[in-house]
Amino acid sequence: MEMTPYQLANNTPLTLSPNFILPEEKRPNLSEIINHGVPRELCQKALAVVTEFFQLPPEERAQYLTKDHSKQVKVFNYYQKYEGIGKVTMWSETFSHPWHPTEDFTHLLPTNPPQYREVFAEYARAIGVLFDRLLSLISRGLGLDKDCLKRRIGEKPGLHTQANYYPACPDPELTMGLPDHNDLGSITVLLQVEGVTGLQVIKDGKWLTVDPVPDAFVINLADQTQVLSNGKFKSVGHRAVTNKLLPRLSLGMFYTPNNDTVIGPIEDLIDEEHPPKYRRYSFKEYMEEFYRQEGKKRRVKEAFELQR
Ligand code: OGA
Ligand code: NI
């Protein structure tokens, strides 16, 4: 049935009747910039299985609870420690597990919800392709050959997924979903559910909200990219705040060096005018420093800065 504009104001229809539809070349092309190549349906399916996971009965998720960092599959809550106060728990629950673009990792994943393994296998393949593109674009952006960053992060990167669920919060002014932090790997590919804000990044000392853009990923540059690029690319400080009305879900895919990988500013970026800002270290050392600062506002990179 054809809608007139007067009817539209009182009664939002589910589809557009022909009188509202522009000729193809006049349409706004809203998705033109969202050219990451990962199908929208796949992103929606990934968010859906993760949502279902968080809707499982608590006893079922409890089998993954652990405080052991070395466990590959785990459910946990972030917290911060404050002097004289102690631990404050963040308003979120996190589920973390490995992913891999080509090898079969799905035997590590839950069997419930039943589609979890299959959906993640497909999502991981697509995200692997996206990581390759991102790493080569960043390499080229630094004037390096396209394989440079991938090579430096190593043959066998550490790959993990982190799904964060933030229940609606009675008082977002009193708590936080995730504390102010920097991701510690190379880059992070983050997918957020549409329609609920929560992610914020810090710029010039101010927190800016990153509204979810339908069909878009948020790409965070993380600590190792800052070090490898000798500070040309900055690792982004970010946090998640909670929402009073709606729960929120995000799904992060992380790409990190493994423990034996030696990280330091790439030699081609170093000259008289650009002396190295960081010393070389094994990623194991970086992780040790990371755990040493557990519960605090972490300043991990700073521990590897060269004094001048
Ligand atoms: C993370 C993260 C932010 C978000 O998982 O490291 O920063 O929007 N998530 O949930
Ligand atoms: Ni993060």
Side-chain angles (χ1 to χ4, degrees):
M1 195 182 67
E2 189 159 300
M3 280 265 177
T4 66
Y6 307 105
Q7 289 168 300
L8 198 60
N10 314 62
N11 184 10
T12 310
L14 290 175
T15 53
L16 274 65
S17 55
N19 56 320
F20 289 102
I21 298 178
L22 290 166
E24 196 152 351
E25 68 286 0
K26 301 291 183 208
R27 294 180 197 169
N29 226 338
L30 297 172
S31 61
E32 196 174 44
I33 53 162
I34 319 290
N35 57 353
H36 50 66
V38 185
R40 172 181 170 82
E41 303 71 56
L42 183 54
C43 295
Q44 296 298 324
K45 275 198 287 186
L47 290 172
V49 289
V50 172
T51 303
E52 277 181 56
F53 177 82
F54 285 110
Q55 288 165 346
L56 292 174
E59 320 75 84
E60 192 160 348
R61 288 201 310 287
Q63 66 179 301
Y64 303 107
L65 278 173
T66 176
K67 292 205 162 72
D68 180 354
H69 297 310
S70 65
K71 278 268 187 324
Q72 288 199 299
V73 181
K74 55 191 174 235
V75 164
F76 59 96
N77 300 100
Y78 279 97
Y79 61 87
Q80 289 284 82
K81 277 187 206 154
Y82 299 97
E83 238 163 88
I85 296 171
K87 264 190 188 186
V88 177
T89 311
M90 299 294 104
W91 192 270
S92 59
E93 182 177 319
T94 295
F95 181 43
S96 172
H97 63 69
W99 68 276
H100 199 283
T102 51
E103 286 167 21
D104 185 15
F105 64 100
T106 56
H107 58 280
L108 299 166
L109 303 187
T111 48
N112 202 8
Q115 325 80 321
Y116 201 99
R117 292 181 170 190
E118 191 190 319
V119 168
F120 248 88
E122 195 185 347
Y123 190 63
R125 275 194 297 278
I127 296 295
V129 173
L130 180 58
F131 265 109
D132 283 351
R133 287 176 64 197
L134 291 167
L135 290 168
S136 76
L137 285 168
I138 296 171
S139 303
R140 300 269 298 280
L142 289 165
L144 302 167
D145 93 353
K146 69 176 179 30
D147 302 322
C148 188
L149 268 185
K150 188 169 180 181
R151 215 168 40 236
R152 296 299 291 250
I153 298 160
E155 284 291 297
K156 287 217 164 296
L159 301 174
H160 80 280
T161 299
Q162 193 167 298
N164 307 296
Y165 180 77
Y166 307 92
C169 177
D171 197 340
E173 290 287 357
L174 295 183
T175 189
M176 194 78 92
L178 279 190
D180 174 5
H181 69 281
N182 290 63
D183 293 347
L184 50 82
S186 59
I187 45 186
T188 304
V189 172
L190 188 86
L191 186 61
Q192 355 177 32
V193 288
E194 288 170 24
V196 197
T197 59
L199 177 62
Q200 297 188 324
V201 297
I202 196 159
K203 184 165 191 300
D204 305 326
K206 291 209 176 78
W207 288 104
L208 307 176
T209 297
V210 183
D211 282 330
V213 174
D215 297 339
F217 291 103
V218 174
I219 310 298
N220 281 346
L221 298 188
D223 287 356
Q224 306 316 310
T225 298
Q226 179 163 339
V227 173
L228 286 162
S229 72
N230 200 32
K232 284 199 173 162
F233 282 121
K234 299 278 184 283
S235 167
V236 63
H238 57 287
R239 66 182 189 182
V241 296
T242 59
N243 188 291
K244 187 154 185 163
L245 297 175
L246 294 167
R248 176 169 174 268
L249 185 83
S250 70
L251 179 60
M253 303 290 271
F254 295 78
Y255 190 115
T256 305
N258 72 33
N259 276 344
D260 302 327
T261 306
V262 175
I263 299 288
I266 292 172
E267 295 72 25
D268 291 353
L269 302 174
I270 301 300
D271 57 28
E272 290 268 290
E273 276 167 56
H274 306 94
K277 294 190 167 132
Y278 303 92
R279 72 168 176 86
R280 283 157 64 85
Y281 53 81
S282 73
F283 191 66
K284 181 162 188 273
E285 283 178 79
Y286 202 84
M287 288 309 290
E288 283 164 358
E289 181 62 32
F290 178 81
Y291 288 125
R292 237 191 315 278
Q293 298 184 22
E294 173 137 28
K296 308 205 195 87
K297 162 73 185 114
R298 286 177 162 119
R299 303 192 183 282
V300 190
K301 283 186 297 302
E302 286 78 350
F304 298 88
E305 272 173 7
L306 290 168
Q307 304 301 326
R308 256 172 295 124

CSV table of all heavy atoms in Angstrom, one decimal, residues 78 162 164 166 178-179 181-184 188 190 199 220 236 238-239 254, ligand 2:
chain,number,residue,atom,x,y,z
A,78,TYR,N,36.7,-8.2,34.4
A,78,TYR,CA,37.7,-7.2,34.7
A,78,TYR,C,37.5,-6.5,36.0
A,78,TYR,O,36.4,-6.3,36.5
A,78,TYR,CB,37.8,-6.2,33.5
A,78,TYR,CG,38.6,-6.7,32.3
A,78,TYR,CD1,37.9,-7.3,31.2
A,78,TYR,CD2,39.9,-6.7,32.3
A,78,TYR,CE1,38.6,-7.8,30.1
A,78,TYR,CE2,40.6,-7.2,31.2
A,78,TYR,CZ,39.9,-7.7,30.1
A,78,TYR,OH,40.6,-8.2,29.0
A,162,GLN,N,37.9,-11.9,22.1
A,162,GLN,CA,37.3,-11.5,23.4
A,162,GLN,C,36.0,-10.9,23.1
A,162,GLN,O,35.8,-9.9,22.4
A,162,GLN,CB,38.3,-10.5,24.0
A,162,GLN,CG,37.9,-10.2,25.5
A,162,GLN,CD,39.0,-9.4,26.2
A,162,GLN,OE1,40.2,-9.9,26.2
A,162,GLN,NE2,38.7,-8.3,26.6
A,164,ASN,N,32.8,-9.2,24.9
A,164,ASN,CA,32.4,-8.5,26.1
A,164,ASN,C,30.9,-8.2,26.1
A,164,ASN,O,30.4,-7.7,25.2
A,164,ASN,CB,33.1,-7.1,26.1
A,164,ASN,CG,34.6,-7.2,25.9
A,164,ASN,OD1,35.3,-7.8,26.7
A,164,ASN,ND2,35.1,-6.7,24.8
A,166,TYR,N,28.0,-6.3,28.2
A,166,TYR,CA,27.8,-5.2,29.2
A,166,TYR,C,26.3,-5.2,29.5
A,166,TYR,O,25.5,-4.7,28.7
A,166,TYR,CB,28.2,-3.9,28.7
A,166,TYR,CG,29.6,-3.8,28.2
A,166,TYR,CD1,29.9,-4.1,26.9
A,166,TYR,CD2,30.7,-3.5,29.1
A,166,TYR,CE1,31.2,-4.1,26.4
A,166,TYR,CE2,32.0,-3.5,28.6
A,166,TYR,CZ,32.3,-3.8,27.3
A,166,TYR,OH,33.6,-3.7,26.8
A,178,LEU,N,34.6,-1.3,30.9
A,178,LEU,CA,36.0,-1.7,30.8
A,178,LEU,C,36.8,-0.5,31.2
A,178,LEU,O,36.5,0.6,30.8
A,178,LEU,CB,36.4,-2.2,29.4
A,178,LEU,CG,36.1,-3.5,28.9
A,178,LEU,CD1,36.8,-3.7,27.5
A,178,LEU,CD2,36.5,-4.7,29.8
A,179,PRO,N,37.9,-0.7,32.0
A,179,PRO,CA,38.7,0.4,32.3
A,179,PRO,C,39.5,1.0,31.2
A,179,PRO,O,39.7,0.3,30.2
A,179,PRO,CB,39.7,-0.2,33.4
A,179,PRO,CG,39.8,-1.6,33.1
A,179,PRO,CD,38.4,-2.0,32.5
A,181,HIS,N,42.3,1.5,28.9
A,181,HIS,CA,43.5,0.6,28.6
A,181,HIS,C,43.9,0.8,27.2
A,181,HIS,O,43.2,1.4,26.4
A,181,HIS,CB,43.1,-0.9,28.9
A,181,HIS,CG,42.1,-1.4,27.9
A,181,HIS,ND1,40.7,-1.1,28.0
A,181,HIS,CD2,42.2,-2.2,26.8
A,181,HIS,CE1,40.1,-1.7,26.9
A,181,HIS,NE2,41.0,-2.3,26.2
A,182,ASN,N,45.0,0.2,26.8
A,182,ASN,CA,45.5,0.1,25.5
A,182,ASN,C,45.5,-1.4,25.2
A,182,ASN,O,45.9,-2.2,26.0
A,182,ASN,CB,46.9,0.6,25.3
A,182,ASN,CG,46.9,2.1,25.4
A,182,ASN,OD1,46.6,2.7,26.5
A,182,ASN,ND2,47.3,2.8,24.4
A,183,ASP,N,45.1,-1.8,23.9
A,183,ASP,CA,45.3,-3.2,23.6
A,183,ASP,C,46.8,-3.5,23.4
A,183,ASP,O,47.5,-2.6,23.0
A,183,ASP,CB,44.5,-3.6,22.3
A,183,ASP,CG,43.0,-3.4,22.6
A,183,ASP,OD1,42.6,-3.3,23.7
A,183,ASP,OD2,42.3,-3.4,21.6
A,184,LEU,N,47.2,-4.7,23.7
A,184,LEU,CA,48.7,-4.9,23.8
A,184,LEU,C,49.3,-5.6,22.6
A,184,LEU,O,50.5,-5.7,22.5
A,184,LEU,CB,49.1,-5.5,25.1
A,184,LEU,CG,48.4,-6.7,25.6
A,184,LEU,CD1,49.0,-8.0,25.0
A,184,LEU,CD2,48.6,-6.8,27.1
A,188,THR,N,43.6,-4.6,16.7
A,188,THR,CA,42.4,-5.3,17.1
A,188,THR,C,41.2,-4.9,16.2
A,188,THR,O,41.1,-3.8,15.8
A,188,THR,CB,42.0,-4.8,18.5
A,188,THR,OG1,43.1,-5.0,19.4
A,188,THR,CG2,40.8,-5.5,19.1
A,190,LEU,N,37.4,-4.9,16.0
A,190,LEU,CA,36.3,-4.9,17.0
A,190,LEU,C,34.9,-4.7,16.3
A,190,LEU,O,34.8,-3.8,15.5
A,190,LEU,CB,36.4,-3.8,18.0
A,190,LEU,CG,35.5,-3.8,19.2
A,190,LEU,CD1,36.0,-4.7,20.3
A,190,LEU,CD2,35.2,-2.4,19.8
A,199,LEU,N,31.8,2.3,23.7
A,199,LEU,CA,33.2,2.5,23.5
A,199,LEU,C,33.6,4.0,23.4
A,199,LEU,O,32.9,4.8,22.8
A,199,LEU,CB,33.6,1.8,22.1
A,199,LEU,CG,35.0,1.9,21.7
A,199,LEU,CD1,36.0,1.3,22.7
A,199,LEU,CD2,35.2,1.3,20.3
A,220,ASN,N,41.4,-0.9,16.2
A,220,ASN,CA,42.3,-0.3,17.2
A,220,ASN,C,43.7,-0.6,16.8
A,220,ASN,O,44.1,-1.7,16.7
A,220,ASN,CB,42.1,-0.9,18.6
A,220,ASN,CG,40.8,-0.4,19.2
A,220,ASN,OD1,40.2,0.6,18.8
A,220,ASN,ND2,40.4,-1.1,20.3
A,236,VAL,N,45.9,3.3,20.7
A,236,VAL,CA,44.8,4.2,21.2
A,236,VAL,C,44.3,3.8,22.6
A,236,VAL,O,44.1,2.6,22.9
A,236,VAL,CB,43.6,4.1,20.1
A,236,VAL,CG1,43.0,2.7,20.0
A,236,VAL,CG2,42.5,5.1,20.5
A,238,HIS,N,41.6,3.5,25.2
A,238,HIS,CA,40.1,3.4,25.1
A,238,HIS,C,39.5,2.7,26.4
A,238,HIS,O,40.2,2.2,27.2
A,238,HIS,CB,39.7,2.6,23.9
A,238,HIS,CG,40.3,1.3,23.7
A,238,HIS,ND1,41.6,1.0,23.4
A,238,HIS,CD2,39.7,0.0,23.8
A,238,HIS,CE1,41.8,-0.3,23.4
A,238,HIS,NE2,40.7,-0.9,23.6
A,239,ARG,N,38.2,2.9,26.5
A,239,ARG,CA,37.5,2.3,27.6
A,239,ARG,C,36.0,2.0,27.2
A,239,ARG,O,35.6,2.4,26.1
A,239,ARG,CB,37.5,3.2,28.8
A,239,ARG,CG,36.7,4.5,28.6
A,239,ARG,CD,36.8,5.5,29.7
A,239,ARG,NE,35.8,6.6,29.5
A,239,ARG,CZ,35.7,7.6,30.4
A,239,ARG,NH1,36.5,7.6,31.5
A,239,ARG,NH2,34.8,8.5,30.2
A,254,PHE,N,41.9,-10.3,18.3
A,254,PHE,CA,43.2,-9.8,18.6
A,254,PHE,C,44.3,-10.6,17.8
A,254,PHE,O,44.2,-11.8,17.6
A,254,PHE,CB,43.5,-9.9,20.1
A,254,PHE,CG,42.5,-9.1,20.9
A,254,PHE,CD1,41.2,-9.5,21.1
A,254,PHE,CD2,42.9,-7.9,21.4
A,254,PHE,CE1,40.3,-8.7,21.9
A,254,PHE,CE2,42.1,-7.0,22.2
A,254,PHE,CZ,40.8,-7.5,22.4
B,2,NI,NI,40.6,-2.9,24.2
